Amino acid sequence: MDAFSDLDFVVVVSEDAYPEVLASRTDIARRLGPLLSAFTGEHVGEPRLLICLYGPELLHIDLKFVTMPDLDRLVERPVVLWSRDEAIVEEALDRAEISWPNRDPDWFEARAWIWLHYGAARALRGELFEAIGMLAFFREQVLGPMLHRRAGRPQRGVRRIEAYGLAETRPLAATVARHDVESVKAGLVAATELYLELRADAPPRSAVDGMPQALLRFLGHEAEQAARP
């Protein structure tokens, strides 16, 4: 943790009280401190989550309201700060399957070329903000996780990539584009090249036919390369 960390709390609620607690969770959050704003986490597929901002000083706190059976699968083991019966909670955590949801090579390969083509099509149409957004999405969903995979870490998007040194940061930085069609095209080519390099670490069972050649032709990259002296 550091001065910029969020706080993530898992609130374990008895099943008979759960509907009432879920309906009043914003009131519960408001009683914890000076709540500035809060909303639920449907956008990340987690409606049990209440995302809160407290302040001043500003502090982001996530409150996830669950029941005891929900503790059977977790991405990491939480620390029990308080419980009416700590032994029961600890026993549930001991039985839990705890693992980060890493993606396999086939998951990346099935999506990478479709996402890259989408970004290329938007760039060529002139929808540069949309294409730039797709590059950011591709870093978060594909390149960042694969860089973490290469280093033997959980696939946590692009979180803390900068902390691991220039060897990981520099190739990823090449995929960051300005609001300029040539810059966006260069970012897409850099993303393609980095994906191919990282794919070689753990190849998929079946690579998509015709790639990357078809994508590069679509972008006009091969024609540009041939025209250079």
Side-chain angles (χ1 to χ4, degrees):
M1 290 181 63
D2 59 29
F4 306 104
S5 294
D6 305 337
L7 296 179
D8 299 311
F9 292 110
V10 178
V11 185
V12 183
V13 183
S14 62
E15 293 185 68
D16 59 342
Y18 190 72
E20 179 184 351
V21 169
L22 212 60
S24 59
R25 56 190 157 171
T26 302
D27 292 333
I28 293 170
R30 191 173 289 113
R31 295 201 299 271
L32 296 178
L35 182 66
L36 299 177
S37 183
F39 64 95
T40 52
E42 284 84 359
H43 69 293
V44 291
E46 188 47 90
R48 300 171 299 177
L49 187 67
L50 188 67
I51 301 166
C52 306
L53 182 65
Y54 290 86
E57 297 181 359
L58 295 179
L59 179 62
H60 177 133
I61 296 179
D62 288 343
L63 300 171
K64 184 176 179 180
F65 294 84
V66 304
T67 60
M68 193 70 73
D70 294 323
L71 297 179
D72 62 344
R73 294 177 62 88
L74 301 167
V75 297
E76 52 195 357
R77 182 174 179 130
V79 175
V80 179
L81 299 180
W82 181 86
S83 175
R84 287 186 171 86
D85 193 333
E86 186 171 336
I88 291 178
V89 177
E90 292 285 3
E91 288 171 7
L93 295 176
D94 287 341
R95 295 191 302 268
E97 179 182 333
I98 300 175
S99 63
W100 189 263
N102 289 328
R103 307 297 192 183
D104 65 33
D106 295 306
W107 188 95
F108 292 120
E109 181 70 2
R111 292 159 176 79
W113 303 112
I114 293 173
W115 287 338
L116 287 168
H117 172 261
Y118 179 89
R122 302 291 83 74
L124 295 174
R125 182 186 280 170
E127 297 179 36
L128 299 185
F129 285 119
E130 182 74 4
I132 291 168
M134 174 50 73
L135 277 168
F137 178 82
F138 195 73
R139 286 191 297 272
E140 171 69 29
Q141 296 294 321
V142 176
L143 299 178
M146 293 176 79
L147 281 165
H148 283 303
R149 182 185 70 183
R150 169 174 281 182
R153 300 186 296 260
Q155 297 173 12
R156 295 176 180 266
V158 293
R159 291 295 305 274
R160 298 190 178 276
I161 286 287
E162 293 86 352
Y164 297 109
L166 288 175
E168 297 187 33
T169 305
R170 189 178 287 118
L172 203 59
T175 71
V176 178
R178 302 184 307 278
H179 189 260
D180 171 84
V181 65
E182 294 305 318
S183 177
V184 173
K185 288 168 68 176
L188 287 162
V189 171
T192 300
E193 292 173 345
L194 182 55
Y195 173 69
L196 291 171
E197 176 191 333
L198 295 169
R199 187 181 72 174
D201 294 344
R205 287 174 294 181
S206 178
V208 173
D209 288 340
M211 293 298 183
Q213 294 82 5
L215 178 68
L216 295 177
R217 282 196 299 271
F218 183 77
L219 275 171
H221 181 65
E222 287 187 346
E224 293 170 7
Q225 291 288 90
R228 292 178 184 174

